[in-house]
Amino acid sequence: MKPVISGAKALLLGAALGLAACGEAPQSAEERAAIIAAAETRVPDDPILAEKYERACQACHADPENTAPLSGDSRAWTSRLEARGADGLLQSTLNGFEGMPPLGACPDCGMDDFKKLIAFMAGDTK
Ligand code: HEC
């Protein structure tokens, strides 16, 4: 356990609370279970992208025990998108971010792959 909440986490928490204050109901246990079940099975349609996703991103982004936002959990991704924008999320992936290693542990992923993988995990595409 970390004794203090990091600046980035405080920011995210602020963003999440901001959303909740705008009238969004808190996530129920059923919703959470459905999101976890979906995260564990969903992969991109494109087989080349799917291979990269399964080799790199999936280990953390489909593991509910990890602090990574779950694949397909659009609410978790919305607060991040609002805080940093699509380009900010790309930069976080390239540079590494908190528990995430640089390049999301995918050294052979190109810029286009990262954009597609992020969009996929954020729930936009399949
Ligand atoms: C070793 C585990 C791990 C792997 C592998 C991993 N991630 Fe992450 N990722 C994380 C964690 C943990 C976070 C959340 C960090 C935080 O906010 O504390 C995260 C957050 C992110 C974010 C949000 C960054 C932000 O600014 O909020 C993006 C985008 C992302 N990951 C993309 C990817 C992509 C794309 C891949 C595969 C190419 C990948 N990740 C692989 C652990 C991982």
Side-chain angles (χ1 to χ4, degrees), residues 8 11-12 15 77-86 88-89:
L11 201 75
L12 287 176
W77 286 97
T78 299
S79 59
R80 288 172 187 269
L81 273 165
E82 284 179 354
R84 283 177 287 289
L89 297 197

Side-chain angles (χ1 to χ4, degrees), residues 12-38:
L12 287 176
L13 194 64
L17 291 175
L19 281 180
C22 291
E24 257 197 80
Q27 204 175 57
S28 70
E30 288 81 9
E31 277 173 325
R32 175 82 185 149
I35 286 167
I36 291 169

Side-chain angles (χ1 to χ4, degrees), residues 56-57 60-61 66-68 80 84 89 92-93 97-98 100 104:
C57 324
C60 301
H61 286 272
N66 201 290
T67 54
R80 288 172 187 269
R84 283 177 287 289
L89 297 197
S92 301
T93 310
F97 190 74
E98 305 281 339
M100 176 163 62

